[in-house]
């Protein structure tokens, strides 16, 4: 598949009478946009706000972050099986609003949501302090069940991103980047002298607000399978997670997976990037065995020389990570795992819940237990009181002076395992 990504750089967002993009500025008619995306019986109110890099603004609790995109040419639409028909995506042309994001917040859905600070120490730990953010504040009606609340906020975020993405359909882009993965035998033959490399993409699927969706299907229900990397860029995988903010892959990160980006950057130079194997992270041992067996089988079937495995979540999924690593290595495929660590606040504890001698090539995203003090900021979008109960916080996290003492696992994207800049060709 060949996909052209047309980038339209957004430098600012402003509220206006007309929704449009002009000279790098996204103008939004707040009332019209809310009316277009809000038709949910579980949501009592919807509002929009803007958070810009460098502003003294804190967003919390953060549910999801989504980048607006639109299909211009090729089959299907953005978020297939969710908002668009279940066509196979990943080819043709897609336009993207770069430099901005839709961030969803409101009353807390799950106890492991996060914080985005647009300035100060917290801003150094999240990539979303560098994007201009249109913040969607969705407040639930009284008595709404958690799973209904989560779904409502999730879909509002997708609808908002699609609504804004449609603005990019007819706009002249600032930059075009091409990505291509050919059918397997053709791809192997193109660079026979280069090592054949794949990517095992572990998706959070533990249930109870720990869900990821593939073409609209809860990934708990899948067995490991193959995807073209470009399918992921078109929204084939979306987040439904409320896991620890530093551990979950927001939808934005699925769309901009840093491992995929860097593998493509080395494709045809130091490696032959053959594609992505997606797998899930299960609760029961038999399911873990099944998925890791299939993952290693697919690695061998593709004839891979090396593979990168990234993990989403921690604790229980560490077992899935090590099972995948151990079994893939046993098949003779060199394996590198990408994970964050939970090594205690002093860094002295065992950093993963599982281990094996074959896991001897590790890229770390850092220690999520590290303690930080976030300064008081002038404006909060959302509900500041929840920082005391989200994962990484405690009953004394919110201080009287307005500062917050928390572990960095509370910061959205802080140590995200499929983020940006982790890998290089030297890995192999």
């Amino acid at each position: 598949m060949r996909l052209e990504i047309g980038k339209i750089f957004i430098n600012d967002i402003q509220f206006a009478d007309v929704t449009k993009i002009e000279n790098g500025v996204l103008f939004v008619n707040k009332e019209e946009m809310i009316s277009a995306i809000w038709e949910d019986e579980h949501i009592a109110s919807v509002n929009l706000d803007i958070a810009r890099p460098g502003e003294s603004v804190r967003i919390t609790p953060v549910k999801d972050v989504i980048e607006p995109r639109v299909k211009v040419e090729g089959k299907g639409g953005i978020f297939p099986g969710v908002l668009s028909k279940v066509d196979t995506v990943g080819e043709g042309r897609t336009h993207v609003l770069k430099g901005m994001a839709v961030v969803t917040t409101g009353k807390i859905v799950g106890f492991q949501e996060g914080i985005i600070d647009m300035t100060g120490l917290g801003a150094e730990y999240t990539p979303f302090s560098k994007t201009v953010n249109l913040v969607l504040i969705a407040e639930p009606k009284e008595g709404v069940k958690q799973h209904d609340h989560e779904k409502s906020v999730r879909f509002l975020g997708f609808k908002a991103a699609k609504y804004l993405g449609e603005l990019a359909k007819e706009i002249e882009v600032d930059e075009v980047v091409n990505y291509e993965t050919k059918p397997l035998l053709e791809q192997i033959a193109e660079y026979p002298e280069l090592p054949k490399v794949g990517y095992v993409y572990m998706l959070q699927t533990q249930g109870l607000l720990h869900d990821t969706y593939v073409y609209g299907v809860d990934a708990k229900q899948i067995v490991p399978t193959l995807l073209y990397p470009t399918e992921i860029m078109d929204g084939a995988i979306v987040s439904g997670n409320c896991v620890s903010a530093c551990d979950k892959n927001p939808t934005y990160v699925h769309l901009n997976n840093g491992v995929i980006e860097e593998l493509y950057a080395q494709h045809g130079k130091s490696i032959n990037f053959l594609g992505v194997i997606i797998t899930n992270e299960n609760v029961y041992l038999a399911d873990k065995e099944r998925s890791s067996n299939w993952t290693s089988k697919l690695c061998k079937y593709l004839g891979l020389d090396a593979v990168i495995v990234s993990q989403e979540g921690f604790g229980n999924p560490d077992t899935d990570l090590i099972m995948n690593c151990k079994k893939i290595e046993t098949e003779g495929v060199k394996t590198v795992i990408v994970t964050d660590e939970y090594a205690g606040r002093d860094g002295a504890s065992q950093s993963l819940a599982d281990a094996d001698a074959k896991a001897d090539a590790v890229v770390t995203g850092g220690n999520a237990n590290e303690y930080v003090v976030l300064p008081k900021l002038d404006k909060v979008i959302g509900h500041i009181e929840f920082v005391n109960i989200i994962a990484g916080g405690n009953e004394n996290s919110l201080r009287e002076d307005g500062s917050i003492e928390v572990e960095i696992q509370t910061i959205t994207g802080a140590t995200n395992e499929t983020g940006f800049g982790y890998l290089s060709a030297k890995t192999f």
Side-chain angles (χ1 to χ4, degrees):
M1 284 188 178
R2 178 184 173 87
L3 179 66
E4 292 183 355
I5 295 289
K7 300 180 180 181
I8 299 162
F9 295 106
I10 301 298
N11 305 311
D12 193 19
I13 302 173
Q14 298 178 18
F15 292 125
D17 294 333
V18 178
T19 300
K20 61 181 180 178
I21 297 171
E22 194 172 87
N23 298 322
V25 178
L26 170 63
F27 296 94
V28 177
N29 183 312
K30 182 188 292 190
E31 291 72 24
E32 284 186 2
M33 180 172 173
I34 292 172
S35 177
I37 67 173
W38 177 25
E39 49 179 0
D40 194 298
E41 63 181 353
H42 299 116
I43 300 298
S45 67
V46 173
N47 201 0
L48 299 173
D49 207 335
I50 300 167
R52 302 176 179 89
E55 292 183 336
S56 185
V57 175
R58 172 168 291 138
I59 311 167
T60 189
V62 174
K63 169 66 175 69
D64 198 6
V65 185
I66 311 115
E67 184 177 61
R69 299 191 170 203
V70 63
K71 290 296 296 179
V72 176
E73 298 173 4
K75 293 191 300 182
I78 294 296
F79 309 132
V82 179
L83 296 186
S84 304
K85 292 182 179 180
V86 193
D87 285 324
T88 300
V89 295
E91 60 184 346
R93 187 180 177 107
T94 296
H95 286 181
V96 185
L97 301 187
K98 300 300 293 185
M100 71 150 295
V102 172
V103 177
T104 53
T105 187
K107 289 183 180 177
I108 196 165
V109 178
F111 295 112
Q112 294 176 304
E113 294 169 6
I115 299 169
I116 295 174
D117 281 0
M118 302 305 293
T119 191
L121 179 62
E124 298 176 14
Y125 287 100
T126 173
F128 307 119
S129 64
K130 302 172 185 64
T131 53
V132 186
N133 299 316
L134 184 65
V135 186
L136 190 157
I137 307 111
E139 303 292 5
K141 292 181 179 178
E142 290 295 326
V144 171
K145 294 179 180 178
Q146 261 187 308
H147 64 277
D148 289 326
H149 182 193
E150 186 281 320
K151 182 177 180 180
S152 295
V153 178
R154 176 175 13 120
F155 270 77
L156 275 169
F158 297 154
K159 288 177 181 178
K162 184 177 181 181
Y163 177 86
L164 297 175
E166 292 289 337
L167 299 173
K169 206 160 193 176
E170 306 298 334
I171 292 181
E172 184 176 346
V173 301
D174 299 307
E175 180 184 327
V176 177
V177 182
N178 295 310
Y179 300 93
E180 185 173 20
T181 300
K182 297 178 179 178
L184 183 61
L185 296 181
E186 187 178 347
Q187 186 68 74
I188 292 172
E190 186 171 18
Y191 301 109
E193 74 286 357
L194 295 178
K196 300 182 291 297
V197 177
Y199 172 36
V200 172
Y201 195 3
M202 292 174 55
L203 306 177
Q204 174 61 254
T205 56
Q206 291 177 280
L208 298 175
L209 308 182
H210 293 45
D211 299 309
T212 305
Y213 297 87
V214 180
Y215 282 96
V217 174
D218 188 333
K220 285 195 300 294
Q221 302 175 28
I222 71 168
V223 290
T225 190
L226 298 171
L227 289 183
Y228 281 97
T230 53
E231 292 179 75
I232 298 165
M233 296 176 179
D234 265 351
I237 299 176
V238 297
S239 173
N241 284 331
C242 301
V243 300
S244 290
C246 70
D247 277 287
K248 77 175 179 181
N249 294 322
T251 299
Y252 184 103
V253 174
H254 290 302
L255 294 166
N256 296 277
N257 184 297
V259 177
I260 291 174
E261 293 269 352
E262 294 201 30
L263 288 172
Y264 264 130
Q266 294 300 322
H267 179 59
K269 300 174 184 177
S270 61
I271 64 170
N272 189 352
F273 179 30
L274 296 190
V276 178
I277 299 168
I278 59 169
T279 185
N280 44 25
E281 300 171 355
N282 299 289
V283 176
Y284 297 108
L285 180 60
D287 295 326
K288 292 177 183 292
E289 293 283 10
R290 180 188 303 108
S291 289
S292 55
N293 287 344
W294 277 60
T295 299
S296 60
K297 176 184 69 174
L298 287 172
C299 289
K300 182 179 181 180
Y301 179 72
L302 294 174
L304 297 176
D305 298 305
V307 69
I308 294 169
V309 184
S310 70
Q311 175 190 14
E312 184 175 13
F314 70 100
N316 186 293
D318 292 350
T319 300
D320 302 84
L321 176 69
I322 297 303
M323 278 187 175
N324 283 321
C325 177
K326 180 170 61 176
K327 293 178 182 180
I328 294 168
E329 282 275 349
T330 300
E331 295 292 355
V333 181
K334 294 180 180 180
T335 307
V336 177
I337 63 175
V338 184
T339 179
D340 63 0
E341 305 175 61
Y342 281 78
R345 294 175 187 173
D346 60 358
S349 300
Q350 180 174 318
S351 58
L352 295 177
D354 201 353
D356 190 89
K358 287 186 167 63
D360 58 359
V362 181
V363 179
T364 178
N367 179 19
N369 289 139
E370 182 181 340
Y371 231 50
V372 294
V373 177
L374 306 179
K376 178 184 178 180
L377 299 185
D378 294 337
K379 178 180 177 180
V380 174
I381 303 176
H383 297 271
I384 192 65
E385 65 272 17
F386 292 123
V387 300
N388 282 356
I389 60 174
I390 58 178
N394 60 67
E395 61 182 4
N396 299 313
S397 284
L398 184 58
R399 295 172 168 180
E400 289 185 6
D401 64 0
S403 63
I404 303 172
E405 185 177 4
V406 289
E407 296 180 6
I408 63 171
Q409 65 174 294
T410 63
I411 302 172
T412 300
T415 57
N416 195 276
E417 298 94 327
T418 55
F420 311 97
Y422 288 151
L423 306 175
S424 70
K426 295 180 182 178
T427 303
F428 303 114

